[in-house]
Amino acid sequence: MLLEVRSLVVHYGMLEALKGLSLKVKNGQIVILIGANGAGKSTALSAISGLKQPTSGEVWFRGERIEKKLAKNRVKKGIGHILEGRRVFSAMTVRENLEMGAYLRNDREQIKEDLEEIYQHFPVLKERQMQSAGNLSGGEQQMLATARALMSKPELLLMDEPSLGLSPLLVREVANIIQAINERGVSIVLVEQNARMALSLADYAYILEVGSIVLEGKAVELISDQRVRKAYLGG
């Protein structure tokens, strides 16, 4: 098992955002978290990546407990996190953003090779590598945020609402990017407001409501579940 979360509880002050969340991710899987705003999806990703410390519970990665480790140490172990809203370093160039993704690495020659590979996958980033990231379109910034996370060489990539605010055409492009990343051997935990797109990509799905999992199963089965269709797929 690549990732296992056991009985995770997370608070924001007195508010209990996660109420004993448990989930698993196998090597090579795309696992999705679906739920309304405030269900705890982003909190779950932050607790896995180390941006939010849990009140209780366990996070296991490749057989090691990591819930007490700093976020930077989880990156070193192979966990990447793309935050909601892309959050590129807008004053820095595209290339500098990509180099920041490899900040914790010291294999300089391999970094150069990985950068060229990124440019092959995202040619628009190569074209704009000397431009300020803040001047990119929304879709290009999403590509940059994704590529920057890949520069850390993750085994597990946490993606928070990658299609948020994008046009339908760019949403399809994001779906293609997610598939391409997974085909490279990277496992993915995806939080996505476009439930139909997410379910079409995923192997397994968890449905969250107010901090708890209320339904889980293979994505291909849940996409035809009447409860899921009514609540998240428009009937």
Side-chain angles (χ1 to χ4, degrees):
M1 193 65 60
L2 181 65
L3 175 75
E4 186 170 2
V5 175
R6 302 175 183 172
S7 303
L8 204 64
V9 176
V10 175
H11 284 84
Y12 291 95
M14 297 296 293
L15 175 65
E16 191 175 44
L18 292 180
K19 306 173 182 180
L21 178 78
S22 295
L23 61 84
K24 296 179 181 180
V25 181
K26 297 177 182 178
N27 282 300
Q29 275 192 322
I30 298 178
V31 171
I32 61 169
L33 306 181
I34 297 175
N37 289 338
K41 307 183 300 298
S42 296
T43 298
L45 296 190
S46 293
I48 293 169
S49 71
L51 295 181
K52 180 65 179 177
Q53 288 299 308
T55 306
S56 62
E58 301 175 3
V59 179
W60 292 76
F61 184 67
R62 293 189 302 179
E64 179 184 358
R65 282 188 69 172
I66 63 168
E67 73 271 2
K68 296 186 183 299
K69 293 188 179 295
L70 296 175
K72 66 177 183 179
N73 292 330
R74 302 190 203 192
V75 173
K76 288 180 180 179
K77 288 188 175 296
I79 299 177
H81 188 179
I82 303 173
L83 299 170
E84 180 183 345
R86 298 177 280 278
R87 303 194 195 187
V88 298
F89 300 111
S90 58
M92 299 171 66
T93 66
V94 167
R95 187 183 182 95
E96 287 169 339
N97 268 266
L98 293 172
E99 289 171 344
M100 285 297 294
Y103 180 75
L104 294 175
R105 296 172 56 185
N106 53 24
D107 50 339
R108 292 184 178 276
E109 291 304 315
Q110 187 60 51
I111 289 172
K112 290 180 182 179
E113 292 182 18
D114 291 342
L115 185 59
E116 288 306 313
E117 185 178 355
I118 287 292
Y119 285 150
Q120 290 177 20
H121 284 286
F122 304 97
V124 68
L125 298 183
K126 184 172 185 177
E127 294 172 12
R128 309 202 194 296
Q129 62 180 305
M130 301 313 295
Q131 292 185 17
S132 295
N135 292 331
L136 300 180
S137 69
E140 290 166 348
Q141 288 188 10
Q142 183 59 61
M143 289 182 193
L144 178 56
T146 302
R148 184 180 63 194
L150 291 175
M151 285 297 292
S152 69
K153 300 291 284 185
E155 290 185 54
L156 175 68
L157 186 59
L158 313 176
M159 304 183 75
D160 197 349
E161 301 282 16
S163 77
L164 186 65
L166 300 181
S167 69
L169 181 62
L170 288 176
V171 168
R172 288 194 291 273
E173 181 61 28
V174 167
N176 291 335
I177 290 170
I178 292 169
Q179 284 184 311
I181 292 169
N182 183 242
E183 287 169 2
R184 293 174 61 184
V186 179
S187 302
I188 296 171
V189 179
L190 175 65
V191 167
E192 176 54 58
Q193 45 104 25
N194 188 327
R196 188 178 300 278
M197 183 265 279
L199 284 167
S200 71
L201 294 172
D203 300 294
Y204 203 84
Y206 294 90
I207 311 296
L208 273 70
E209 291 182 4
V210 290
S212 299
I213 293 171
V214 296
L215 187 64
E216 65 176 274
K218 294 180 179 178
V220 69
E221 296 173 354
L222 290 189
I223 202 168
S224 59
D225 186 285
Q226 289 305 311
R227 293 165 293 178
V228 175
R229 295 183 67 85
K230 182 177 180 180
Y232 303 106
L233 303 178

